[in-house]
Amino acid sequence: DSQSMLLDGRTMVPLRAICENVLGKKVSYYDRVIAIADKEADLAANAGLVADVKAKIGEAVKAGSMKELEQVLTAGGRRVYQTEDEAGIGSMKNAADGAGQSGFAAAEDAASAAGGIQTASADGSYSTTNVQVEGIDEADIVKTDGKYIYIAGNSVVRIVGADKGKLSDAAAIRLAADKNVREIYADGERLILLGNRSEFDYVVKGPVNPVLDVAGPETMPPYKTPKTFSFTDVYDISDPLKPVLLKSHEMEGYYQSSRKNGDIVYLVTNTYPSGIVLPLMRDTAVSSATVSMKLSDVMIMPSHPSSGYLVVSAINIKNQEKTEVEAITAYGATMYMNDSSLYLAFNNYAGDTSIIRFDLEGMKVGYAGSGEVPGYLLNQFSMDEYQGNLRVATTVWGRNVSSNSLYILDPSLNIIGSVEDLAKGETIYSVRFIGDKGYVVTFRTMDPLFVFDLSDPKKPVLTGELEVPGFSSYLHPVGENLLLGIG
């Protein structure tokens, strides 16, 4: 009984016909919400469920137009300026207002550099960067392949020979003066440099009063504003004495963090584009030209306006495959990644932690959901995914008294289990999740180590507590039954 129609060369069939006649499901409609289930749902009698579904559906959507994107960015605190069309990509562009969310842009804790699982090479002959998740490499300022040591500092990466304990200054990669290398990866015949590059010749024309954003003729003279790009440079080091640049990717904004899984580096950039709506990028695998991101690669969060973007770039270090990018109008400061998911979190103005999840499938990066938990994260070890659920430990502040909580979220980042109000008056100093167990250290005058059984994600249980003098700022698994605390 259903009528199909032809639209843009595609045959369109009503959703109800597919679900009920083909899949044997029941479809319910109420207040612009469609529910598909084994049984018909009485949505009209469940206003709370309808409101939750609406909020979740509208959390993030693809930007439908430049006007829609501009509205979200402007609501987040950006103003529109007239800029010179030097790049040939339009004259009306946005400029960051300089405020952003920098008050909450804390870098990952120093303990993140200590990682947690991988501590030696396959043959045990030399150490590697300690990482949080086995098989997921983390960038560092020093890397080694057992024969050479690669050391990053400012605009130079030094390559030092390490032959049987004898060191020799073998070679160096000297970058341009406007580039600052932050971290590196070394993988076989590849050396990957990550950092920031600055430009100071981007000319902007302002309105009459850029503070009040008053419309009118352009009476202010053009002025120069700095621009920052995060970069990923891939070198061939098959001959470490003669490194060769193979490809380079740049994304407008500041380098936040990265991870490497096999041949792919995932770069995270926070950007507040100066004088342009869409952030600029350059991928030498495609062209040496700097171009703006595609609108189709941008997600917006209408209910959570942001003055900038969070961009995830997937870069293949072994070939000339073009970089894949995904952007969302949000911010991310703390990163956790495993083989299939990437999480980015930041503390918002309400005293909660906002979390964004991306699905990973090789070079494909896709927004998968977002959610919130009460309180603040300490660092990357405060997050961990296990059997599809995210475990999070936070310190919650209320009426000048702190407490601590542990939350478990489902793949859609809905809270499904929690243990709250632990160690009132104290704050979290270290966290570690290992399998179906969780370990949290808090501190004020003593050092309670809390142990959690997380085998049932809907009913996490506090199973033990140990108090010793001092505190541990890092927890590390040693074998199967030992936990090392350092502090």
Side-chain angles (χ1 to χ4, degrees), residues 28-31 41-48 50:
S28 308
Y29 294 86
Y30 178 73
D31 194 17
D42 188 359
L43 296 176
N46 198 335
V50 171

Side-chain angles (χ1 to χ4, degrees), residues 54-93:
K54 277 188 165 184
K56 207 67 179 177
I57 291 175
E59 194 77 15
V61 295
K62 281 290 185 181
S65 66
M66 294 296 289
K67 183 177 181 181
E68 185 179 19
L69 176 60
E70 187 174 303
Q71 288 174 342
V72 172
L73 293 172
T74 304
R78 295 176 64 184
R79 294 184 294 274
V80 177
Y81 294 100
Q82 186 77 21
T83 63
E84 290 195 348
D85 192 16
E86 295 179 334
I89 48 180
S91 58
M92 287 302 297
K93 304 167 185 176

